[in-house]
Amino acid sequence: MLVKQLTVGMMGVCCYIVTCETTGKAAIIDPGGDEDRILDYCREKQLQVEYIINTHGHPDHVCGNGRLQQATGAKIVMHADDVAYFGDPRVKGYFSGLGLPESPPVDVIVRDGDIIRFGEEQFEVIHTPGHTPGGICLYSPPHCFTGDTVFVGAVGRTDFPGGSMEQMIGAIKSRLLTLPPDTIVWPGHGYGGLQSTIGREERTNPYFDL
């Protein structure tokens, strides 16, 4: 598995292009802008992008979905709870102030424990609500793409509609801290750094003690 990390868009989203090196099939995680940079990399590497996976439905993480789907034909993937939540007109109205493009309709709805396969690689979907109702992490040992659930030294904010710190910390402790300590954490923003491990976050992340 080859992981390419790009910081994209006006909100500094960490976008990931994850490739099966045997087949050239790929998945893009959280295309939050700068679609030309993402597409240039995919073309340079001659990748066949099969999925555009959103760790959650906030506009800064889905705003590139439409352009990338149009260019690649990839299927858009999101957790069922965020598909329902962000489809609510009241929720759409709240987040429309950012002025970012909406995502096209989701093609593949996932739930906890589902497997997303591309080439000879796969992700296990780990449902980690708290930042949003349908927030997910994507696990493929030794990698875990944590979206806005876990940052380096911090966690995602929960003061937006649909957020819950209690849910988030519960999901982190019950699901993420059961992963091997050397699991690589790839966060959704690089606020405290661009990479960590589960073991390091368990030792040093102050939010894990809540």
Side-chain angles (χ1 to χ4, degrees), residues 34 37 69 87-88 90 115 124 137 152 191 194:
D34 291 328
R37 288 176 59 211
Q69 184 177 59
D88 186 318
R90 294 168 297 180
I115 301 297
E124 177 188 351
C137 297
V152 178
Y191 300 138
L194 294 172

Side-chain angles (χ1 to χ4, degrees), residues 77-93:
V77 182
M78 192 180 294
H79 190 276
D81 290 352
D82 267 15
V83 173
Y85 183 71
F86 286 94
D88 186 318
R90 294 168 297 180
V91 176
K92 284 187 176 182

Side-chain angles (χ1 to χ4, degrees), residues 13 30 47 53 114 150 192:
V13 170
D30 289 347
L47 303 181
I53 309 173
D114 285 351
V150 175

Side-chain angles (χ1 to χ4, degrees), residues 127-168:
H127 184 206
T128 53
H131 184 62
T132 66
I136 60 173
C137 297
L138 300 165
Y139 180 53
S140 181
H143 305 282
C144 189
F145 301 86
T146 57
D148 285 7
T149 297
V150 175
F151 303 133
V152 178
V155 298
R157 56 190 294 181
T158 58
D159 56 334
F160 289 131
S164 167
M165 182 62 75
E166 181 179 2
Q167 278 191 322
M168 176 179 287

Side-chain angles (χ1 to χ4, degrees), residues 141-204:
H143 305 282
C144 189
F145 301 86
T146 57
D148 285 7
T149 297
V150 175
F151 303 133
V152 178
V155 298
R157 56 190 294 181
T158 58
D159 56 334
F160 289 131
S164 167
M165 182 62 75
E166 181 179 2
Q167 278 191 322
M168 176 179 287
I169 298 303
I172 289 170
K173 290 182 176 180
S174 65
R175 304 305 304 280
L176 299 186
L177 292 187
T178 64
L179 301 178
D182 61 351
T183 299
I184 302 168
V185 171
W186 297 99
H189 295 270
Y191 300 138
L194 294 172
Q195 187 186 106
S196 187
T197 66
I198 289 293
R200 175 185 170 189
E201 293 308 305
E202 185 174 16
R203 293 191 306 271
T204 64

